[in-house]
Structure formats: structure tokens, C-alpha cells
Amino acid sequence: MENVSVNKIFGGWHKQYSHFSKTLNCSMRFAIYLPPQASSGNKVPVLYWLSGLTCNDENFSHKAGAQRAAAELGVAIVIPDTSPRGEDVADDEAYDLGQGAGFYVNATQAPWSKHYQMYDYVVDELPQLIEATFPVSDKRAISGHSMGGHGALVIALRHPERYLSVSAFSPISNPIDCPWGQKAFSTYLGKDREAWRSYDASELMREAKDFVPALVDQGEDDNFLLEQLKPEALTAAAKASNYPLELRMQDGYDHSYYFIASFIDEHLRFHAAHLYQ
């Protein structure tokens, strides 16, 4: 790994690193916030944050204001990039496909399958690297926004043994039934819609047998609410399986980081309650 930057904040350290990912076959960058408690030799639990379309690790790091509460609660935050990147990595001119838009799936279709294995990167390779390198424990939570909220919910639902809690802001809740998801899934996964179901949070939650406590916040003034996000599908799925989901509709809030910054402390406290139980 190469250390790209270091900044002290709220008594802890926010650091950026680059490393070569065998899973993605390219160089990747991630950020980690280590709270003050990690400096005393103690291993602290970790929240993995998955960002949305067009983002990288810096959007959350600079705009969410999460470090203050993380320092208080003693929770590390790991922020990967949203896709593989590089000159030889497949891309698209559209903002919602290609670099910056990996959708946290394992692509099966050429040319995407060579690099776009973000699901395995987030679930396996990155946590192994983090836990082998930094003073963190194997107590994990996961969260994200929009495309990243989709990724966080899907990963927790598919691996309830690995995560103690999950949360999301404005997640793409039912991607097999919205334009963003249909475009990405047909490109990365092919035309077989049955293969898409394993990456759809509503489909997974409807059939869930093992539960990870879940908190979702959705702004009522989100421009993408009706066409792309579809929280009502997630609510119906939770009702069908009696899933422990708390979904809160927040009056006046949109899809931006102003929304995330308004409620990120509550999400961190939600996760800390499970990570330290």
C-alpha cells in the first residue's frame, strides 16, 4: 500500500491509501478514519461506507461530517471508491455506467467482467486488507448512499454473519424495477433477469431468514424518489418477512450530502449500539 494523505481530525487520523487490487485487476484508492481510541493499541470496530454514483472516497470524507461522532463513539470508517479505475478499465460516457458507477456487483459480461468485481472487493479483499493492517476488529457494520445504499443493503442481506448492522440513505431499493438498476444490471450481468435478483435489496429482504438490524432514511423531496429509489418496495419486503427494518421518510430533504450530514450522527450511533453490544 501507498499512503496518499494524512490529516488529523477530532483527535483521530483520516488517511488515504492506494493499493493494487487482485480482485479488480487495477490500482484502487480507499480512505480510513481511525478514531482516537485506535491510537492506544485497542482494536476498534469498523463501519464500511459505500458511496453513490459519480462519487469517490472524498465525497463522504469531506461532506458528511462523520468524523466527529466516529471519534466520540470509537468507530473506524472505511470508504472505498465506487468502481475500478484506470486507462485500461472499461468505461462509458454516461454518468450512471462504468467508472464511478460499479453498482457493487460482480460483472459477468465482457468487457466489464475483467475489472468490475466490486462485490467481492467490498466483501472480501478490502476487509482482509483493513483487518491485517490497521488496529480494527472483525466487528463490522455497513452503510451507504443511493447506489451505495443499494450495495450496503445487498451485502448485509447476503452476509448476515459478517455484519452487525446496516443502514442506508436514499438507497436504490428495487433496482430490477428502476432505470438505473435495469441499465447497470443488463450491462454488467446480462439479460437474464433472474440473475439480477441476487443484487436487489427488496427481493433479498422479502426472502430473508437471518436478520441484520437495518435503518434507512429517505428524503421526501428527493428528485429520484418515485422513479429510481422506490422505498415502498423495501417496506413491503420487510413486512413480508417480518424484517427488523426502520425506514424513516424525512420531510423536506433531498438526495444531497446536506441530507446525509443531517442524520449521519444518528446512523453512527445506531451502528455503535450494535458494534459494542
Side-chain angles (χ1 to χ4, degrees), residues 25-162:
N25 295 306
C26 67
S27 179
M28 289 293 288
R29 191 177 74 186
F30 69 87
I32 182 169
Y33 177 67
L34 293 168
Q37 295 85 342
S39 300
S40 59
N42 298 320
K43 289 189 174 184
V44 297
V46 185
L47 172 67
Y48 289 85
W49 172 270
L50 306 184
S51 297
L53 288 166
T54 75
C55 292
N56 56 38
D57 64 287
E58 292 186 342
N59 298 78
F60 182 81
S61 302
H62 294 173
K63 297 179 180 180
Q67 293 93 340
R68 184 192 296 272
E72 174 192 338
L73 297 167
V75 175
I77 306 175
V78 172
I79 313 148
D81 203 345
T82 53
S83 78
R85 297 184 192 266
E87 292 184 2
D88 66 335
V89 174
D91 199 7
D92 190 272
E93 293 182 356
Y95 77 94
D96 54 357
L97 197 66
Q99 296 187 35
F103 267 83
Y104 305 101
V105 303
N106 286 337
T108 58
Q109 305 300 301
W112 311 98
S113 55
K114 180 179 179 182
H115 297 287
Y116 284 74
Q117 305 293 314
M118 285 298 294
Y119 182 90
D120 282 352
Y121 177 72
V122 171
V123 172
D124 294 319
E125 184 180 16
L126 185 59
Q128 290 174 16
L129 178 63
I130 296 297
E131 291 167 19
T133 307
F134 301 101
V136 302
S137 71
D138 61 359
K139 290 188 173 182
R140 311 176 197 94
I142 192 164
S143 185
H145 172 232
S146 194
M147 177 185 73
H150 139 76
L153 289 168
V154 165
I155 287 170
L157 286 161
R158 288 177 59 169
H159 294 280
E161 76 286 354
R162 291 182 62 87

Side-chain angles (χ1 to χ4, degrees), residues 181-238:
Q182 290 167 351
K183 180 178 181 179
F185 286 5
S186 61
T187 301
Y188 297 145
L189 304 174
K191 301 301 183 183
D192 181 6
R193 294 177 65 92
E194 188 63 25
W196 301 1
R197 295 181 69 253
S198 62
Y199 292 109
D200 186 297
S202 293
E203 295 291 319
L204 293 168
M205 188 170 284
R206 184 178 302 276
E207 303 298 328
K209 298 292 188 293
D210 298 312
F211 300 152
V212 179
L215 171 64
V216 173
D217 274 319
Q218 172 63 62
E220 291 187 349
D221 283 8
D222 192 317
N223 289 338
F224 304 111
L225 178 60
L226 297 179
E227 183 180 26
Q228 302 283 14
L229 304 179
K230 300 183 181 293
E232 67 279 1
L234 202 63
T235 300

